[in-house]
Amino acid sequence: MTHQVHAFEPPERFVAGTVGEPGDRTFYLQARGGGRVISVALEKVQVSLLAEKLEELLLEASKRFGVTLPEEPLLAVHDNEPLDTPVDEEFRVGTLGLAFDVDTSTVVIEAIEAGEPEPDLIGESLGDEDDDDDDDDDEPDDDLDRLRVRLTPDATRAFIDRARRVVAAGRPPCPLCGQPLDPAGHLCPRHNGYHR
């Protein structure tokens, strides 16, 4: 089976967003460009970790390569609009890969479809080329669809800001146990299971 690589280099828009009510939200990465919109589903923790790792990647690029980074996202790239509709899930993300392209000073994000990759492929860098290895270990991963976007540092900072706001917009945490509070009530383990 052939795979599809949905490449947006650069996208007109690349955002994290949700569909549904807090407590029952589905998280998406959505890229738009060239007259097409691609939406891929992922978990809340993946969105949170993506924002965290992108922040670390920008700081490392600044230290190692002297890339000038914006402190705050520019208002021109600040995006508070909802996801483009209809939101049709292209695939569910299993692996996220990040890289910094020194030649173009851009961040490359690759979302790879959930599948059954070989254990040694997990965590592999985007920039790694095939070593003169005649093994067919890469075969399972080659059949997985991908979403690849290339962002400027400004656009990356705006993505991080929005992703953090999207994650934080869910149910507030219980001040005692940290679990999400439901509107109908919360059985807090710190209260021995009694409603408060």
Side-chain angles (χ1 to χ4, degrees), residues 43-56 96 98 167:
E43 298 297 324
K44 178 180 180 178
V45 70
Q46 289 175 302
V47 175
S48 179
L49 283 172
L50 178 58
E52 179 184 325
K53 295 303 178 185
L54 282 170
E55 185 73 41
E56 291 175 13
L96 290 164
L98 303 176
V167 169

Side-chain angles (χ1 to χ4, degrees), residues 31-185:
R32 179 180 68 205
R36 60 193 174 121
V37 176
I38 300 294
S39 303
V40 296
L42 70 170
E43 298 297 324
K44 178 180 180 178
V45 70
Q46 289 175 302
V47 175
S48 179
L49 283 172
L50 178 58
E52 179 184 325
K53 295 303 178 185
L54 282 170
E55 185 73 41
E56 291 175 13
L57 182 67
L58 286 178
L59 292 173
E60 186 65 23
S62 178
K63 287 179 191 173
R64 290 180 65 190
F65 309 118
V67 175
T68 305
L69 300 178
E71 289 299 317
E72 294 293 324
L74 300 174
L75 292 178
V77 294
H78 201 70
D79 188 345
N80 290 321
E81 298 300 314
L83 294 173
D84 293 336
T85 55
V87 179
D88 295 325
E89 180 181 318
E90 197 69 30
F91 60 84
R92 181 158 287 280
V93 175
T95 306
L96 290 164
L98 303 176
F100 188 82
D101 185 345
V102 180
D103 296 334
T104 59
S105 292
T106 56
V107 173
V108 179
I109 303 169
E110 189 168 82
I112 304 168
E113 181 180 22
E116 299 286 331
E118 295 294 319
D120 64 336
L121 294 177
I122 296 172
E124 190 171 321
S125 171
L126 285 175
D128 289 350
E129 294 296 323
D130 287 342
D131 298 331
D132 296 326
D133 209 359
D134 290 332
D135 293 344
D136 288 336
D137 290 345
D138 292 339
E139 287 299 318
D141 198 38
D142 287 343
D143 287 339
L144 301 177
D145 289 348
R146 298 161 188 267
L147 169 64
R148 183 180 301 137
V149 295
R150 185 177 295 269
L151 301 174
T152 64
D154 286 330
T156 303
R157 181 72 73 195
F159 175 85
I160 293 168
D161 180 58
R162 178 181 168 125
R164 287 180 173 157
R165 285 184 284 118
V166 165
V167 169
R171 297 175 290 173
C174 173
L176 297 175
C177 70
Q179 294 179 2
L181 290 172
D182 289 323

